[in-house]
Structure formats: structure tokens, C-alpha cells
């Protein structure tokens, strides 16, 4: 990810409708797990630690790891939770250390050439019966300038994400496309970008929008969170959320 994206992320992730909404959507599923407050949780690819500070802390002691030292340094300004510089391909933790691992928009990155290897590392650090909540970007044909700026290697279908998790020996519990209600708007934007390519810019796509737009889009995301909490799912969307479990038995 370009340095500007980390700075923008750190500045806006407490307020931006996308970051806030994605935490609400993740929490809709996590709240339904048989959680205990003593659970140990890891955010693998924690960025500037917004999820460590505002989501994972609700599920027990929280830890974060990220490849980029700049992200870790910014994250340490937000939380006292232990943050470590490291790769999701070689997680710096012992076997069976965590009850829950989240990884949000990380394994798609150019720095992760082998998603299954990363998922096997997550499997290794999870206790038997532990959970992984994985979020990935959807549909490679939606690849955009923003993807280039955050070093996206590829985007996925729901089926492809589930295949990756099964290849790492996880059992799929739930999976759904998310950020679905805004899909037509983003699709139109992508089509316009391809018909009339704009000049390259250093401005981040994740800058905080105006107050009205932020509230409106935030309300849409809250509705999606409630929909998913009810047990329903979405047939398409801009991202894919998948909850999977490490079997209790030894493999």
C-alpha cells in the first residue's frame, strides 16, 4: 500500500462510513459466536489498528500484526494492544495461540503471493475449534485505480474464497457478499472510469466524504449488518465475508 493510504486510513477509519460499516458487518457475525471474554483475538494484517482498537477488543485480549512498520507505528498511537511487524505468511506467534483470527482485505495483496499458505499460517496459530473471519474484495473485473494504489493482486468470487479456505482445511460456517446495496453505484463508477479514464492522481479514494454522504452510506451499511445478523445473505457485492472454523479434531 502507498504511504498516503496508511496516513488516510489512520485519519478516517474511526468515522468513514466504509470502515465503520465493515466493523458493524463483521460484528453482526462475531456476536453470534459462542464467545468468551477471555478469548485471544488476532487481526492478521491490522493496518493502522482500527479493528484492533474498536472491534477485537470486544472479544477478549486483542493483538495485531502487519507487514508495514509505518502502519504499526500509526496503530500504536490508537491502542495499547500488542502490535507486531510481521508477515501473514510467517505469523510471529506460537501454534494454537488464538481463539479468533480476523483478516480484512489482506490476502489479496501483492505481498501475499500464496493465499493458501497464509491461511495455513492462520490455521496453525488458531486453537482447535477456533474461528477465522476473512474479508476479500469481490470480482476481478471491478479492478480499479484504487486497487492499484493499494497494491491489489487480484479480486475473488465467493466460490473462490471458500475453495481457498477449504484448501487450508477450514470448515466453512457462513459466507456472503457484502457492501451489496451500493454495488450498482460502484459498478456505474467503474464503467465511467473505463470509458473516460481520468488522469492519475495522488488523492486517496478513501478520503472522508461530506457529512451527508457519510451518514447516508453509513445507514446503508447498518442495514446490511442487520440483514446479515438475521441469518440472511447477499448474492453479490463489492466484498466477500466468510466465517470458517478450525476443526476440533487433529488433522
Amino acid at each position: 500500500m502507498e504511504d498516503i493510504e496508511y496516513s488516510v486510513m489512520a485519519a478516517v477509519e474511526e468515522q468513514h462510513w466504509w470502515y465503520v460499516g465493515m466493523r458493524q458487518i463483521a460484528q453482526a457475525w462475531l456476536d453470534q459466536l459462542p464467545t468468551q471474554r477471555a478469548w485471544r483475538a488476532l487481526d492478521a494484517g491490522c493496518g493502522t489498528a482500527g479493528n484492533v482498537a474498536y472491534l477485537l477488543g470486544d472479544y477478549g485480549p486483542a493483538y495485531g500484526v502487519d507487514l508495514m512498520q509505518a502502519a504499526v507505528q500509526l496503530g500504536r498511537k490508537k491502542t495499547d494492544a500488542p502490535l507486531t511487524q510481521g508477515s501473514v505468511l510467517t505469523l510471529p506467534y506460537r501454534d494454537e495461540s488464538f481463539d479468533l483470527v480476523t483478516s480484512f482485505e489482506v490476502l489479496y495483496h501483492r505481498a501475499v503471493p500464496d493465499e493458501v499458505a497464509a491461511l495455513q499460517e492462520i490455521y496453525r496459530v488458531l486453537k482447535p475449534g477456533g474461528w477465522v473471519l476473512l474479508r476479500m474484495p469481490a470480482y476481478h473485473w471491478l479492478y480499479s485505480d484504487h486497487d492499484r494504489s493499494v497494491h491489489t493482486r487480484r479480486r475473488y468470487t465467493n466460490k473462490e474464497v471458500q475453495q481457498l479456505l477449504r484448501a487450508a482445511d477450514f470448515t466453512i460456517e457462513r459466507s456472503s457478499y457484502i457492501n451489496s446495496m451500493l454495488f450498482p453505484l460502484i459498478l456505474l463508477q467503474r464503467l465511467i472510469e473505463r470509458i473516460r479514464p481520468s488522469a492519475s492522481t495522488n488523492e486517496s479514494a478513501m478520503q472522508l466524504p461530506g457529512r451527508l454522504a457519510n451518514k447516508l452510506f453509513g445507514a446503508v451499511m447498518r442495514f446490511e449488518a442487520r440483514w446479515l445478523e438475521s441469518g440472511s445473505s447477499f448474492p453479490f457485492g463489492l466484498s466477500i465475508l466468510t466465517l470458517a472454523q478450525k476443526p476440533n479434531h487433529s488433522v
Side-chain angles (χ1 to χ4, degrees):
M1 188 182 293
E2 303 294 341
D3 288 346
I4 188 175
E5 296 292 337
Y6 287 118
S7 299
V8 171
M9 181 189 299
V12 307
E13 65 180 335
E14 298 175 28
Q15 306 172 58
H16 195 290
W17 65 269
W18 189 88
Y19 290 106
V20 174
M22 285 298 185
R23 287 196 292 270
Q24 292 169 338
I25 285 172
Q27 201 158 4
W29 282 4
L30 291 177
D31 279 349
Q32 296 179 358
L33 294 179
T35 58
Q36 301 172 1
R37 292 297 171 180
W39 271 23
R40 283 166 55 92
L42 170 69
D43 192 20
C46 64
T48 55
N51 293 315
V52 175
Y54 294 98
L55 175 61
L56 295 180
D58 290 339
Y59 302 95
Y63 298 75
V65 60
D66 198 273
L67 181 64
M68 301 305 296
Q69 184 64 26
V72 172
Q73 289 174 343
L74 288 166
R76 286 173 178 159
K77 297 178 181 179
K78 295 187 175 188
T79 178
D80 293 329
L83 304 180
T84 303
Q85 183 181 8
S87 170
V88 294
L89 292 168
T90 52
L91 291 171
Y93 306 100
R94 291 191 226 173
D95 296 357
E96 301 182 3
S97 299
F98 297 98
D99 303 280
L100 169 68
V101 175
T102 62
S103 188
F104 299 144
E105 262 89 17
V106 175
L107 304 193
Y108 74 96
H109 197 272
R110 289 198 318 233
V112 187
D114 188 339
E115 305 98 317
V116 174
L119 288 169
Q120 288 171 336
E121 269 293 275
I122 291 174
Y123 188 99
R124 178 184 65 79
V125 302
L126 273 174
K127 298 176 184 178
W131 298 89
V132 58
L133 186 64
L134 181 68
R135 193 174 72 228
M136 301 282 259
Y139 303 126
H140 196 69
W141 47 268
L142 283 177
Y143 197 93
S144 67
D145 287 339
H146 176 68
D147 286 297
R148 279 183 280 275
S149 71
V150 297
H151 298 178
T152 299
R153 179 172 51 82
R154 61 171 294 195
R155 301 174 70 98
Y156 305 80
T157 64
N158 194 340
K159 181 179 179 180
E160 288 170 338
V161 172
Q162 293 187 50
Q163 288 173 338
L164 291 172
L165 282 157
R166 290 193 179 102
D169 293 326
F170 283 102
T171 299
I172 307 298
E173 178 69 18
R174 298 182 67 177
S175 192
S176 177
Y177 288 98
I178 57 174
N179 201 356
S180 302
M181 296 180 68
L182 296 174
F183 184 85
L185 180 63
I186 301 301
L187 178 58
L188 178 61
Q189 179 184 347
R190 295 291 187 269
L191 291 173
I192 292 173
E193 288 175 358
R194 291 179 185 184
I195 294 171
R196 300 177 58 187
S198 59
S200 61
T201 175
N202 290 326
E203 184 177 352
S204 171
M206 295 309 293
Q207 295 282 358
L208 191 66
R211 182 178 299 178
L212 181 59
N214 203 48
K215 283 188 173 182
L216 177 61
F217 294 152
V220 170
M221 298 294 273
R222 284 194 300 275
F223 175 84
E224 288 201 16
R226 290 195 296 270
W227 182 258
L228 292 165
E229 188 176 20
S230 74
S232 301
S233 60
F234 294 98
F236 56 83
L238 299 172
S239 300
I240 301 156
L241 189 68
T242 306
L243 178 67
Q245 187 175 31
K246 177 177 179 176
N248 274 298
H249 59 80
S250 298
V251 177

